[in-house]
Amino acid sequence: QGRILEKTGLCSQLTFGRYVRQGWKLGLDPKLFIQDLQFNEVPVRVYQPKATSDGPRRGILFFHGGGWVFGNLDTYEKVCRYLSRESDSVVVSVQYRLAPEHKYPAAYEDCLSASQHFLQHLQHYGVDPARVAVCGDSAGGNLAAAVSQTLAGRSDLPRLRAQILIYPGLQALDFNLPSYQQNRGVPLLFRERAAFFALLYLNGDALHLKEVLEGSHIPPDMRLKYQKWVSPDNIPEEFKVRGVKPLRPTDFIAEVYETVKGICEPNLCPLLAEDSVVHQLPESFILTCEYDVLRDDGLLYKKRLEDNGVRVTWYHLEDGFHGIISLYDYCGFSFPSGKRGLDRVVNFLKSL
């Protein structure tokens, strides 16, 4: 797939993909005050409930999904309005720079920069410093996890109250985990596409896609080091009943590793952070979908958080597929399980 895109002109494919996903301009919302601003030169959209409040509200920093390549503020307008209205929270949706034009760490840096600005000016938006959460879906869940890890060690800013990770992508070490095998051809995210997007984010191109999918981009000693965190052994047995076979990674290719070695940085792959970092993380909500290549990333991170004493609320959509939340009220139709997932997020927020 990556090869086809290279041959047919990556830019035109991306332009078309972005056009399809650009979202629609919505009219005014009777219950929300919405404004487009810049936080540390990063474009953001702020959603504030119009109703008077007894005291400061919750704050939510929202990072949209789209493989670090697609998506904008309009794409997630309905989701952000829903979160703000239903949980009575101030929501800040962040328009980070996209790959391949802006490679890693651009998206991460934009999300971190906007988050820092918000945390320094909470009073201005009527937000309670003790109730700020980061939230994201898919690539946005990756960014939320990375930002949460970075902020966990900061004593100069209010501590995050929670992180909400909706089917996040958290590692690029192993594209043959059980969920990758079981759901390799399930929309909206195919196995090849997951690796393709990760490479676009890291390097701005998808060279060596085949080798990365096969696992020959990771040195044996590194694979051994991370095996305690990234392994099918850490996936509960009930998730392996749908056809999974143990696969040995192909032989290591040093030249491939040289081009993708940034892939193991925790800011890119939060699942690989040290215990000392994971131990400091705030209360977490993780949503996974059964029919999703990224299911096991979420399950593995859930285990890591729990092993480090972090409280986790986990919600699994048995009938869910990747991207289902972003389809909330899309063109007038919605998937019941997507709405169910979104309402679980709202309930979690209300508990904070």
Side-chain angles (χ1 to χ4, degrees):
Q1 212 162 2
R3 300 271 187 268
I4 296 167
L5 278 180
E6 283 162 37
K7 288 194 176 101
T8 55
L10 184 58
C11 292
S12 60
Q13 294 278 343
L14 288 181
T15 306
F16 177 71
R18 285 173 183 167
Y19 173 74
V20 170
R21 293 172 176 83
Q22 67 187 352
W24 288 268
K25 295 280 183 202
L26 299 181
L28 295 172
D29 190 301
K31 293 186 175 176
L32 299 175
F33 178 58
I34 301 170
Q35 53 182 336
D36 287 354
L37 300 169
Q38 293 214 331
F39 284 1
N40 283 342
E41 299 181 1
V42 179
V44 299
R45 185 167 291 165
V46 182
Y47 304 79
Q48 293 172 278
K50 285 181 179 174
T52 50
S53 173
D54 295 339
R57 286 188 160 94
R58 259 176 244 93
I60 306 166
L61 285 149
F62 185 85
F63 312 133
H64 69 76
W68 305 280
V69 170
F70 300 115
N72 57 34
L73 298 175
D74 292 334
T75 318
Y76 280 77
E77 178 80 354
K78 286 182 176 176
V79 170
C80 289
R81 287 187 181 195
Y82 190 82
L83 289 176
S84 181
R85 269 197 320 265
E86 299 299 316
S87 72
D88 191 38
S89 305
V90 175
V91 173
V92 176
S93 184
V94 179
Q95 179 56 77
Y96 54 85
R97 286 169 291 169
L98 298 174
E101 294 87 347
H102 304 281
K103 297 187 291 191
Y104 170 79
Y108 158 76
E109 285 177 345
D110 286 355
C111 292
L112 179 61
S113 184
S115 300
Q116 287 169 335
H117 178 94
F118 186 52
L119 289 167
Q120 287 161 345
H121 299 89
L122 295 175
Q123 207 173 349
H124 181 73
Y125 300 97
V127 170
D128 181 351
R131 291 192 300 158
V132 180
V134 288
C135 175
D137 69 310
S138 193
N142 168 281
L143 294 165
V147 166
S148 185
Q149 288 182 1
T150 304
L151 292 176
R154 294 279 295 268
S155 55
D156 58 323
L157 292 168
R159 179 175 155 74
L160 289 177
R161 175 67 181 82
Q163 58 173 350
I164 297 166
L165 312 178
I166 300 168
Y167 39 72
L170 300 169
Q171 60 86 31
L173 223 71
D174 189 349
F175 291 97
N176 293 295
L177 289 168
S179 60
Y180 270 107
Q181 292 186 43
Q182 293 163 336
N183 305 305
R184 59 191 309 138
V186 177
L188 297 171
L189 183 65
F190 302 142
R191 172 175 170 264
E192 273 200 10
R193 287 308 249 181
F196 175 70
F197 288 142
L199 286 170
L200 280 193
Y201 179 38
L202 176 66
N203 285 335
D205 62 52
L207 300 174
H208 304 301
L209 176 65
K210 180 175 175 287
E211 293 85 352
V212 168
L213 282 166
E214 289 171 353
S216 44
H217 62 307
I218 303 296
D221 57 331
M222 192 177 284
R223 190 173 291 283
L224 205 59
K225 176 189 172 183
Y226 291 126
Q227 199 162 15
K228 59 180 184 275
W229 300 332
V230 186
S231 164
D233 298 344
N234 293 351
I235 306 290
E237 288 305 314
E238 66 261 33
F239 293 102
K240 299 177 192 171
V241 283
R242 285 193 296 129
V244 176
K245 55 180 190 288
L247 293 173
R248 285 185 56 80
T250 49
D251 292 338
F252 169 60
I253 305 172
E255 66 171 292
V256 174
Y257 172 65
E258 281 306 311
T259 65
V260 301
K261 59 183 172 194
I263 220 157
C264 293
E265 289 182 25
N267 288 341
L268 185 71
C269 292
L271 185 56
L272 307 184
E274 295 297 328
D275 282 333
S276 56
V277 174
V278 178
H279 178 70
Q280 298 182 67
L281 291 172
E283 184 176 346
S284 305
F285 176 97
I286 296 178
L287 182 138
T288 52
C289 292
E290 180 59 31
Y291 300 100
D292 180 5
V293 290
L294 299 185
R295 180 197 69 200
D296 294 349
D297 284 26
L299 293 177
L300 291 171
Y301 203 44
K302 171 183 179 282
K303 183 179 187 319
R304 287 218 57 203
L305 289 162
E306 289 172 341
D307 287 350
N308 279 279
V310 177
R311 188 174 167 194
V312 180
T313 299
W314 170 55
Y315 188 60
H316 184 64
L317 289 174
E318 302 272 359
D319 53 352
F321 57 86
H322 190 85
I324 197 166
I325 301 289
S326 62
L327 294 177
Y328 165 71
D329 197 11
Y330 184 80
C331 300
F333 74 89
S334 204
F335 291 89
S337 62
K339 170 81 164 55
R340 214 164 61 237
L342 208 48
D343 286 338
R344 284 301 178 110
V345 171
V346 167
N347 290 343
F348 175 75
L349 284 165
K350 285 178 173 174
S351 75
L352 302 177

